[in-house]
Amino acid sequence: QVQLVESGGGLVQAGGSLRLSCAASGRTLSNFAMAWFRQTPGKEREFVAAIRWNGGRTSYADSVKGRFTISRDNANSTMYLQMNTLKPEDTAVYYCAADPNWNWSYQGSIAYWGQGTQVTVSS
């Protein structure tokens, strides 16, 4: 079994930065793609960014392109999301996910999820 634990969330002013981490344990995820999603109350969880197992491919939602950067350190089983120029609309619970396939459209099929970390951006 795999456990994903997010950290790094918090309260930040608009224009500020945060770096989220997702630490994996239980088995190696070096062959898994990993991703970040986010969810606000009353809305569906939405895709934010994803990265292939070797970092050779990344993908971003249009709303975060140019501001967020996804990366991973397979040696330490950790994925990161560097978030810059944060906006109040980035406020959400951020979840990390891992899956052997590159298919983030159907969230019901994603193999592993973390519990989430809250990010709040004040205006």
Side-chain angles (χ1 to χ4, degrees):
Q1 195 56 276
V2 171
Q3 293 80 44
L4 301 176
V5 179
E6 302 93 337
S7 62
L11 174 64
V12 64
Q13 288 187 334
S17 298
L18 282 175
R19 188 175 82 154
L20 304 183
S21 300
C22 173
S25 62
R27 64 164 289 178
T28 179
L29 293 181
S30 58
N31 291 328
F32 279 58
M34 298 187 74
W36 290 96
F37 288 78
R38 66 186 182 186
Q39 188 171 26
T40 55
K43 293 186 177 181
E44 293 187 354
R45 188 160 48 188
E46 65 174 2
F47 171 81
V48 175
I51 187 168
R52 280 209 185 276
W53 68 272
N54 62 356
R57 175 183 177 183
T58 59
S59 179
Y60 295 91
D62 288 342
S63 59
V64 306
K65 280 181 182 176
R67 300 188 298 121
F68 291 10
T69 302
I70 190 171
S71 61
R72 64 189 293 170
D73 179 354
N74 287 338
N76 291 305
S77 299
T78 304
M79 176 179 65
Y80 304 97
L81 185 68
Q82 178 67 43
M83 306 185 296
N84 298 328
T85 319
L86 282 160
K87 304 175 181 180
E89 51 263 44
D90 295 317
T91 295
V93 177
Y94 283 71
Y95 299 89
C96 68
D99 195 85
N101 302 304
W102 186 267
N103 181 10
W104 309 108
S105 299
Y106 181 49
Q107 296 181 29
S109 68
I110 293 173
Y112 303 108
W113 290 94
Q115 293 300 307
T117 185
Q118 175 71 46
V119 171
T120 303
V121 184
S122 64
S123 58

